[in-house]
Amino acid sequence: MCETQAFFPGTGICKELEDRALLLWLTQEGAESLNRSFHVLEYCRVSSMASAPTSKYNSHSLENESIKRTSRDGVNRDLSEAVPRLPGETRITDKEVIYICPFNGPIKGRVYITNYRLYLRSLETDSALILDVPLGVISRIEKMGGATSRGENSYGLDITCKDMRNLRFALKQEGHSRRDMFEILTRYAFPLAHSLPIFAFLNEEKFNVDGWTVYNPVEEYRRQGLPNHHWRITFINKCYELCDTYPALLVVPYRASDDDLRRVATFRSRNRIPVLSWIHPENKTVIVRCSQPLVGMSGKRNKDDEKYLDVIRETNRQISKLTIYDARPNVNAVANKATGGGYESDDAYHNAELFFLDIHNIHVMRESLKKVKDIVYPNVEESHWLSSLESTHWLEHIKLVLTGAIQVADKVSSGKSSVLVHCSDGWDRTAQLTSLAMLMLDSFYRSIEGFEILVQKEWISFGHKFASRIGHGDKNHADADRSPIFLQFIDCVWQMSKQFPTAFEFNERFLITILDHLYSCRFGTFLYNCESAREKQKVTERTISLWSLINSNKDKFKNPFYTKEINRVLYPVASMRHLELWVNYYIRWNPRIKQQQPNPVEQRYVELLALRDEYIQRLEELQLASSAKLSDPSTSPSGPSQMMPHVHTHF
Amino acid sequence: MEFSELIRTGRAQAKLLRGPEAPPLRGTLCVTGHHLLLSPGPQATSDLWLLLLRRVDSIEKRVSGDSGTITLRCKDLRVLQLDIEGVEATLDIARSIEALSSLESVITSFPFFYRPKGLRLGDAWHFHPPERYYKRVARETNAWRLSEVNEDFSLCPSYPRAVIVPRAVDDDALARCARFRQGGRFPVLSYHHAPSGTVLLRSSQPLTGPQKRRCAEDEELLRAALAGARPGARGFILDTRSAQAAKQARVTGGGTEAKAAYPGWKRLHRPLERGWPLQESFVRLVEACGDLEQSMDRWLSQLEACHWLAHVKEALSTACLAAQGVGREGACVLVHGAEGTDSTLLVTSLAQLILDPSSRTMAGFQELVEREWIQAGHPFQLRCAHSAFSHARPKHEAPTFLLFLDCVWQLGRQFPLSLEFGEGLLLALFEHAYASPFGTFLCSSEKERCLCEVRTRTHSLWSGLNQPKEQRKLRNPLYVPNPLAIWPSVELQTLRLWQGLFLRWIRPPEPSEVAWEKVWQIVTDKKTEGCEPTVSASEPRL
């Protein structure tokens, strides 16, 4: 195969091919035919035990023939002439390898490595396999076997990925054939260790929308009706001198002066003072986030902090107690005193009630997800699937996070109390709780752009340490700072979208795309730990936002069943009975787990989207017509009486 | 016998609790021959509340002070609580319900009295006879004929009057085959796969017994089946018992086809759970689902311990195997277990759903249920006498049909566009199979149905379901005909607990019904053109 042709230089075509290729493995004919042929294999195996010669009956199968046709005449052949490449992506090397597919056995292929991706195409005629893996996904590269190890395919590379799979390549043993592949992969997968830039800084893609403009804090707070009589916007952190992990713009009680804020900052871990995340449009109760107070072993108190919390409580006259949700288990909060942290004691904070939400720390979550991977990849645990799943505790952790968020949302929506949420540093569990509660309370965040704003605000701007938790471009795969906190949040969102199929504008692909680019390093969105670091690196100027990709092709990410409902509060059922493993994400690499052929489903969804748009348009026309007839404003349908909180608390 | 003898008290004041979501109802409680009524009184706005007594699976009474509580556990898995004024009244009502809900007589059951408006007796009974299916087969092939050898049910009491058999085999030979098969269930055609010309057959076990008897006509019948498909076609006999169980059956006169006697046929054993263990699995699952007190951390292992999903997996993969033999390998497949009235039907009906696009339509699926379950002699009267709550000593109960419905639901979940019907139809079939005002699921065979004159004296469920007002609930708005076979994934990771059934009365009214309604709105928006512009605005749930 001619390589110059393989790396087709025309950017327009590349763009299209790239889009196709990205989805190919997941959604298109490649996966479908793989899936089907796997089924054939599966039943071959079953009935070959019963004797039938395995090769014969494939030729009788109607379904199979049609698949062969699609893979022969479809997209795949176009791809055989070009390897997808983004503008700014440069080719480094290519090599013939054997890909040890955990599902279909060894497949001979050619691997192409660029500064962005590892791309493998099967060289075998009966396999349409394509692997397209952004290097950012790689967490670890190991050599397997040695120059002298025996056995077929025992010499090569073993690559651990951050997205629930491993890749294994076998190479020829002669002449250290894997050495340059190992070195190149290491270099470009872990650019930080080699003083190379992360790919996002090299990416020259062009989109017709700029995702960096999606989130404008002033606009978002204005949407919430802020500033108002009780809350003000402060620029005290303009140069990140109050708190280097907070955004420049904060919303604080009107009655707290900047000096008060500075004094409170001394008593909160990493100066992460309580600031407003969300305000209820009608009852004016608020969600406030912060880090733990620095109580320590001696039980220190801070009058300013105590007063500050009281000021927050008093922003709403009807409230006698401020509710504090400490996301941690009680014992962890106590243990944190030893390192200078702690929690708000009853003696010091008379007007506050403290509850612990029993959510475990980043290390527990990391180990739990590791166990999930153990039971789903490469082989799915067969004999005791459900009890194995239970023993990972992953769903239990999901349940606790959701339960905590429901409590926050319920408190606020009922108007009983304002809520202060913190954990230890206030950037992991706190972000999960505030953002999920906001998603339940505020239908705006359930639209595509609203959700982008939510992520941008509660996670990115408030300093969830994406760089440390994900380890972008970093080779230290065993870093104790890594943890799937954001993935867990997206999982919770998915669980909600399952329970409320019409409440979200986005579909499952939207969530999976976010997770894919959480690791890919193609966009600047999730790079770095906090806003100050991002500003220093000029991320918004030098990289592209993930939202540019999504918003320039929104239809692909839309849920056809979305029905916009203002003011509806969603309370998901956080009972184990109603939570399920997100199979389409965690086990998506396994062709046996695939569900219906995606093509007809997606096509039908597109049709439905069109129908829905038509319907909405007609509805608007009708509304216009009727409002023209009735100029009486009291008939407007969005009265406050439609706030209908329903809590179903079956925990 | 008069119902009035069993009704100990006419009426009492009561409060009805219908689960966590619905508000309690107060009113006058009244027991009639077939129903429990609660009349909320003239000033109330809500309607009369009505429960078919046959729907009651178990009843529990408690008295304290001068009032009592009756807990009714229904066959559709709903749990109701009645708080009744007066100890005597409570005990009397409980006894009346107990007696009336366990009446075994078919001809005094409610379907014989049910006369709904808008339906005519006998309307849908001619909908799905085997003759109708035979017409389709005859269009595709000449190798089969419709035999009326069982006209008077003398050959096989559990078969319908007419069955489809190889053209080459005459009625006398069929009579001898019948004597060689348990219950007279000789091999008959279940499905003809037109693209490959092969067939799916079903029967009961051969009566080889310890002496390994043979039957020339039976062997000839199976040979003719192969010849009819294609010269040189091979066949698989799919025995739904383990090899050992099949062997053991010889002791009691049963057995399995000897290799030498049936050239061209290859035997496979796929043990499927049946009878009491299956019923127990069902009971334990329902118990686990209803167990709200227990710490939910153990839910998944509890679910696993019930084995229900494992049974679903086994049923689906055996059906896939049968379907693969017919659809992909171009082989004929004969399915049987022992009696051939339970797991056999499970496999043949599921295999057809996988292979045959027409059985995935609304009408096609009803025909499939009628042909492969009701007329094929699945003993509904025995299997569905009790559901998961009964304390009565189980005799013949087994949720085979429910397992079938669950498998269909899993197919529908994996292929959301390929079935014309939705969860609503499956739920309705489950309900009606266990207790129904319609006659469709009465009795255990066509013979019994004939004796009871079910066809002329009761209404068919199909005419009830096919009324226009029911359609929105039952149909899948997303349906697009799919001409391909639908091969499901049978991995446990893709199978789900059927929440809509097992957690139906436990979960809060999740927005799924609301969502279903929305989807309908989107899909059929042309019809809603004139409707008010409030549809997309906030819709508070009641």
Side-chain angles (χ1 to χ4, degrees):
Chain A
M1 185 182 309
C2 175
E3 282 151 38
T4 47
Q5 234 184 342
F7 285 89
F8 195 81
T11 49
I13 293 170
C14 275
K15 170 77 189 67
E16 196 200 353
L17 287 175
E18 182 275 330
D19 271 357
R20 279 181 179 176
L22 254 184
L23 301 166
L24 187 78
W25 173 247
L26 240 184
T27 59
Q28 291 191 348
E29 289 87 337
E32 191 190 338
S33 61
L34 235 171
N35 176 34
R36 295 291 190 80
S37 50
F38 200 88
H39 265 293
V40 177
L41 272 177
E42 162 76 348
Y43 294 116
C44 291
R45 191 171 59 77
V46 169
S47 56
S48 66
M49 292 194 305
S51 89
T54 43
S55 58
K56 266 193 181 162
Y57 39 85
N58 283 352
S59 57
H60 290 295
S61 145
L62 272 180
E63 289 83 29
N64 232 30
E65 268 161 24
S66 66
I67 288 152
K68 276 187 192 149
R69 224 175 298 123
T70 48
S71 54
R72 231 185 287 125
D73 305 338
V75 192
N76 300 350
R77 197 171 52 185
D78 305 348
L79 281 165
S80 71
E81 275 142 34
V83 169
R85 194 156 52 134
L86 300 171
E89 184 177 355
T90 51
R91 188 196 135 206
I92 313 295
T93 187
D94 65 83
K95 199 172 200 73
E96 202 169 293
V97 298
I98 290 168
Y99 168 57
I100 319 257
C101 174
F103 312 109
N104 295 320
I107 295 167
K108 200 159 94 178
R110 180 165 285 274
V111 67
Y112 302 85
I113 299 169
T114 72
N115 56 350
Y116 170 66
R117 80 183 86 206
L118 179 158
Y119 186 88
L120 176 126
R121 195 174 39 236
S122 158
L123 293 175
E124 291 176 21
T125 46
D126 59 343
S127 162
L129 178 89
I130 282 173
L131 276 184
D132 189 352
V133 187
L135 297 180
V137 155
I138 294 176
S139 122
R140 179 183 197 183
I141 308 167
E142 286 169 290
K143 294 174 177 169
M144 68 175 185
T148 56
S149 49
R150 285 160 196 223
E152 212 182 337
N153 301 330
S154 61
Y155 174 84
L157 296 177
D158 203 349
I159 297 172
T160 311
C161 298
K162 295 168 182 171
D163 61 353
M164 310 295 287
R165 61 177 157 168
N166 297 349
L167 305 170
R168 184 174 271 207
F169 300 106
L171 290 101
K172 290 196 194 76
Q173 253 152 325
E174 304 88 57
H176 307 287
S177 65
R178 72 179 167 196
R179 190 196 284 157
D180 59 325
M181 186 169 160
F182 177 79
E183 274 165 13
I184 287 166
L185 273 179
T186 310
R187 213 172 142 80
Y188 290 97
F190 311 127
L192 294 190
H194 299 87
S195 343
L196 286 171
I198 284 179
F199 178 76
F201 292 101
L202 305 171
N203 188 359
E204 291 165 11
E205 280 176 277
K206 297 275 180 289
F207 293 99
N208 54 21
V209 266
D210 180 8
W212 291 124
T213 62
V214 163
Y215 176 57
N216 174 334
V218 175
E219 258 173 47
E220 163 57 15
Y221 288 122
R222 191 175 298 143
R223 187 191 67 85
Q224 293 190 23
L226 298 166
N228 62 16
H229 289 315
H230 296 287
W231 295 90
R232 67 188 177 97
I233 292 178
T234 172
F235 293 92
I236 185 177
N237 203 34
K238 189 174 63 197
C239 304
Y240 308 103
E241 63 274 54
L242 177 78
C243 169
D244 59 353
T245 57
Y246 261 5
L249 198 140
L250 300 169
V251 175
V252 294
Y254 199 81
R255 284 178 47 218
S257 71
D258 283 1
D259 284 339
D260 291 338
L261 301 180
R262 284 190 195 96
R263 284 193 296 269
V264 171
T266 61
F267 191 63
R268 289 281 163 177
S269 173
R270 302 183 195 261
N271 304 335
R272 293 172 70 93
I273 59 166
V275 295
L276 179 141
S277 269
W278 192 77
I279 183 164
H280 194 284
E282 274 144 36
N283 66 35
K284 302 297 177 197
T285 52
V286 294
I287 299 175
V288 170
R289 62 182 289 170
C290 62
S291 62
Q292 64 180 337
L294 298 174
V295 175
M297 295 295 274
S298 55
K300 266 187 296 199
R301 290 179 56 168
N302 180 310
K303 284 277 172 250
D304 295 297
D305 192 73
E306 290 162 25
K307 198 179 114 211
Y308 184 70
L309 293 203
D310 224 34
V311 168
I312 291 175
R313 179 182 64 82
E314 284 170 354
T315 59
N316 189 322
R317 298 271 167 215
Q318 282 101 52
I319 292 170
S320 57
K321 290 256 183 198
L322 178 71
T323 306
I324 302 173
Y325 285 112
D326 188 325
R328 301 166 292 184
N330 193 343
V331 281
N332 295 28
V334 173
N336 258 294
K337 285 188 176 177
T339 51
Y343 53 90
E344 294 83 354
S345 68
D346 290 347
D347 313 338
Y349 299 84
H350 299 294
N351 296 325
E353 280 179 300
L354 177 83
F355 301 95
F356 293 102
L357 294 178
D358 290 325
I359 302 170
H360 284 277
N361 62 26
I362 60 166
H363 310 295
V364 176
M365 300 310 179
R366 180 180 58 238
E367 294 314 308
S368 172
L369 185 69
K370 217 175 255 171
K371 285 185 195 155
V372 173
K373 184 169 175 180
D374 285 344
I375 63 165
V376 302
Y377 195 92
N379 298 310
V380 173
E381 174 66 43
E382 296 274 350
S383 52
H384 294 285
W385 165 247
L386 290 174
S387 44
S388 314
L389 179 61
E390 183 174 274
S391 66
T392 68
H393 298 291
W394 182 253
L395 288 178
E396 211 181 310
H397 295 313
I398 298 275
K399 181 186 99 174
L400 285 170
V401 173
L402 273 175
T403 307
I406 290 167
Q407 282 174 264
V408 173
D410 183 37
K411 263 286 184 303
V412 170
S413 133
S414 65
K416 281 191 208 109
S417 163
S418 282
V419 170
L420 178 117
V421 183
H422 70 72
C423 46
S424 297
D425 287 318
W427 50 41
D428 293 308
R429 288 166 276 197
T430 302
Q432 288 179 331
L433 291 170
T434 57
S435 55
L436 285 171
M438 286 156 76
L439 198 60
M440 293 169 195
L441 290 162
D442 191 338
S443 60
F444 170 71
Y445 298 123
R446 297 174 216 144
S447 66
I448 288 181
E449 290 214 10
F451 190 77
E452 291 167 358
I453 287 170
L454 183 70
V455 169
Q456 203 73 45
K457 176 179 185 302
E458 288 302 299
W459 289 85
I460 298 170
S461 85
F462 273 95
H464 173 68
K465 302 205 294 174
F466 281 103
S468 307
R469 297 289 175 259
I470 307 302
H472 295 123
D474 175 50
K475 69 175 193 316
N476 191 1
H477 63 87
D479 192 335
D481 256 352
R482 295 205 184 166
S483 186
I485 300 302
F486 187 72
L487 164 64
Q488 195 171 47
F489 159 69
I490 296 288
D491 193 331
C492 292
V493 175
W494 178 82
Q495 304 280 357
M496 282 178 68
S497 72
K498 277 264 116 168
Q499 293 192 18
F500 300 94
T502 61
F504 294 86
E505 191 190 5
F506 46 83
N507 57 19
E508 185 176 56
R509 176 191 277 186
F510 175 76
L511 298 177
I512 292 180
T513 304
I514 290 177
L515 289 177
D516 281 344
H517 293 295
L518 174 64
Y519 309 117
S520 77
C521 294
R522 176 169 152 195
F523 301 101
T525 303
F526 297 114
L527 298 184
Y528 301 101
N529 280 336
C530 55
E531 201 175 282
S532 62
R534 246 166 256 129
E535 204 153 286
K536 211 188 278 166
Q537 298 295 334
K538 301 201 170 58
V539 168
T540 55
E541 292 156 46
R542 295 169 58 211
T543 72
I544 299 159
S545 161
L546 166 60
W547 317 130
S548 303
L549 172 86
I550 286 174
N551 294 356
S552 61
N553 200 354
K554 260 192 186 170
D555 279 351
K556 234 163 61 177
F557 302 102
K558 276 187 179 165
N559 167 14
F561 309 124
Y562 175 55
T563 321
K564 201 166 170 180
E565 291 174 292
I566 316 289
N567 293 343
R568 176 171 165 211
V569 183
L570 302 184
Y571 292 108
V573 185
S575 134
M576 285 300 282
R577 282 189 176 85
H578 296 272
L579 300 179
E580 46 182 276
L581 186 73
W582 188 6
V583 166
N584 285 352
Y585 181 75
Y586 297 108
I587 323 187
R588 64 174 156 157
W589 309 119
N590 190 331
R592 292 165 79 174
I593 305 300
K594 272 189 56 71
Q595 317 238 322
Q596 169 145 28
Q597 322 89 304
N599 283 343
V601 181
E602 297 210 343
Q603 205 184 336
R604 185 79 173 126
Y605 281 4
V606 170
E607 287 167 25
L608 285 173
L609 270 175
L611 268 178
R612 191 183 62 113
D613 290 346
E614 215 176 287
Y615 174 54
I616 286 172
Q617 200 189 336
R618 195 153 42 223
L619 200 67
E620 275 163 7
E621 286 164 17
L622 278 168
Q623 267 165 340
L624 269 179
S626 68
S627 67
K629 266 179 239 152
L630 306 161
S631 51
D632 182 5
S634 65
T635 55
S636 135
S638 55
S641 60
Q642 289 183 339
M643 199 68 146
M644 293 293 280
H646 287 276
V647 194
H648 307 293
T649 33
H650 293 256
F651 301 135
Chain B
M1 177 207 60
E2 288 292 321
F3 293 124
S4 54
E5 293 167 19
L6 300 170
I7 302 173
R8 305 235 173 177
T9 182
R11 55 193 60 205
Q13 290 304 308
K15 185 176 79 177
L16 169 74
L17 300 163
R18 297 173 290 177
E21 294 306 317
L25 268 183
R26 273 167 218 282
T28 312
L29 190 71
C30 181
V31 184
T32 72
H34 294 111
H35 285 97
L36 192 62
L37 313 175
L38 189 80
S39 158
Q43 74 280 14
T45 47
S46 53
D47 288 340
L48 193 72
W49 177 85
L50 203 68
L51 177 77
L52 190 61
L53 285 172
R54 289 249 358 140
R55 200 150 274 169
V56 174
D57 202 25
S58 88
I59 170 166
E60 203 180 286
K61 51 185 184 284
R62 255 193 348 251
V63 286
S64 65
D66 55 358
S67 70
T69 298
I70 294 180
T71 307
L72 298 176
R73 293 189 165 78
C74 302
K75 290 173 182 165
D76 58 4
L77 309 183
R78 187 174 6 182
V79 179
L80 301 165
Q81 189 186 318
L82 284 166
D83 293 336
I84 298 170
E85 287 170 22
V87 174
E88 267 314 293
T90 306
L91 295 177
D92 282 347
I93 284 173
R95 264 179 238 134
S96 315
I97 296 175
E98 232 160 327
L100 289 163
S101 65
S102 56
L103 285 180
E104 284 186 0
S105 150
V106 171
I107 50 164
T108 57
S109 67
F110 185 60
F112 287 86
F113 300 87
Y114 182 50
R115 295 293 175 263
K117 260 187 262 159
L119 295 185
R120 278 212 324 269
L121 272 180
D123 246 5
W125 282 113
H126 59 281
F127 257 23
H128 315 283
E131 288 85 350
R132 206 175 130 102
Y133 184 67
Y134 174 69
K135 274 191 193 136
R136 196 182 128 187
V137 176
R139 275 200 303 273
E140 296 161 354
T141 171
N142 271 327
W144 297 82
R145 69 184 179 95
L146 191 72
S147 165
E148 294 189 350
V149 64
N150 200 38
E151 177 67 45
D152 55 357
F153 305 108
S154 60
L155 241 57
C156 172
S158 62
Y159 269 170
R161 291 175 190 278
V163 289
I164 306 171
V165 294
R167 189 170 288 280
V169 180
D170 63 25
D171 284 354
D172 292 341
L174 292 179
R176 277 188 290 276
C177 284
R179 283 199 289 278
F180 183 62
R181 294 274 174 178
Q182 180 173 0
R185 294 175 70 91
F186 53 90
V188 294
L189 179 130
S190 156
Y191 171 61
H192 179 255
H193 186 246
S196 68
T198 54
V199 293
L200 190 61
L201 304 160
R202 54 177 160 75
S203 70
S204 61
Q205 64 178 343
L207 300 173
T208 52
Q211 303 89 14
K212 302 195 185 172
R213 282 192 297 134
R214 291 174 58 168
C215 169
E217 287 80 5
D218 193 72
E219 292 162 20
E220 175 52 35
L221 196 158
L222 288 189
R223 198 161 35 238
L226 288 187
R230 192 181 36 185
R234 291 173 311 119
F236 290 105
I237 296 171
L238 197 58
D239 195 322
T240 62
R241 303 163 293 178
S242 67
Q244 204 198 353
K247 212 173 189 175
Q248 268 170 2
R250 282 216 294 263
V251 181
T252 49
T256 186
E257 292 83 355
K259 211 173 184 176
Y262 298 88
W265 288 90
K266 170 96 201 157
R267 214 171 61 227
L268 306 173
H269 291 275
R270 296 282 131 173
L272 293 181
E273 205 58 89
R274 64 196 80 215
W276 171 236
L278 194 60
Q279 176 73 8
E280 198 187 15
S281 168
F282 175 41
V283 170
R284 287 176 66 182
L285 176 60
V286 171
E287 223 170 72
C289 289
D291 184 4
L292 292 170
E293 328 277 87
Q294 244 232 354
S295 151
M296 279 336 299
D297 307 344
R298 304 282 302 145
W299 164 247
L300 289 175
S301 39
Q302 264 187 336
L303 185 58
E304 182 175 283
C306 304
H307 291 297
W308 180 261
L309 287 174
H311 298 322
V312 170
K313 178 189 159 122
E314 288 310 318
L316 271 175
S317 52
T318 308
C320 281
L321 184 66
Q324 198 208 351
V326 172
R328 281 193 165 146
E329 293 182 43
C332 293
V333 174
L334 166 68
V335 185
H336 72 70
E339 293 163 313
T341 53
D342 291 276
S343 40
T344 303
L345 305 179
L346 183 63
V347 173
T348 57
S349 54
L350 285 173
Q352 290 179 55
L353 268 177
I354 293 170
L355 289 171
D356 181 10
S358 66
S359 70
R360 296 177 221 136
T361 62
M362 191 71 166
F365 184 69
Q366 292 178 4
E367 188 190 310
L368 184 77
V369 170
E370 179 76 29
R371 186 164 50 82
E372 285 297 289
W373 286 90
I374 297 168
Q375 305 207 7
H378 177 67
F380 281 99
Q381 193 75 22
L382 301 173
R383 298 291 181 258
C384 301
H386 284 291
S387 169
F389 292 121
S390 169
H391 303 299
R393 238 182 96 80
K395 291 182 290 253
H396 307 286
E397 287 81 0
T400 324
F401 187 63
L402 171 61
L403 185 59
F404 164 72
L405 295 175
D406 197 333
C407 292
V408 178
W409 180 81
Q410 307 279 353
L411 277 173
R413 216 186 72 90
Q414 292 189 28
F415 298 89
L417 313 181
S418 296
L419 305 184
E420 195 184 8
F421 48 91
E423 187 181 41
L425 178 68
L426 302 176
L427 289 175
L429 290 180
F430 166 67
E431 258 178 53
H432 287 282
Y434 278 87
S436 172
F438 295 99
T440 297
F441 288 107
L442 287 180
C443 304
S444 287
S445 65
E446 281 298 283
K447 183 183 179 182
E448 289 176 22
R449 260 168 238 129
C450 255
L451 288 173
C452 299
E453 297 172 82
V454 168
R455 280 179 187 228
T456 47
R457 295 179 51 201
T458 73
H459 282 283
S460 157
L461 173 64
W462 309 126
S463 53
L465 291 181
N466 291 336
Q467 296 176 89
K469 60 175 181 181
E470 304 284 338
Q471 296 310 301
R472 243 182 140 111
K473 239 171 30 204
L474 308 177
R475 277 175 194 268
N476 173 9
L478 298 175
Y479 173 67
V480 266
N482 175 0
L484 298 174
I486 50 171
W487 299 104
S489 163
V490 299
E491 303 303 316
L492 275 177
Q493 291 73 27
T494 40
L495 302 180
R496 289 278 173 287
L497 177 71
W498 183 5
Q499 295 196 347
L501 187 129
F502 292 106
L503 301 180
R504 185 175 179 188
W505 310 108
I506 296 157
R507 63 178 176 177
E510 270 180 302
S512 62
E513 283 107 58
V514 181
W516 191 253
E517 194 42 44
K518 293 254 165 66
V519 173
W520 266 113
Q521 269 168 19
I522 292 167
V523 174
T524 60
D525 69 332
K526 293 205 166 56
K527 286 173 203 145
T528 53
E529 201 157 7
C531 95
E532 294 91 84
T534 49
V535 193
S536 77
S538 160
E539 228 170 280
R541 284 181 290 139
L542 297 173

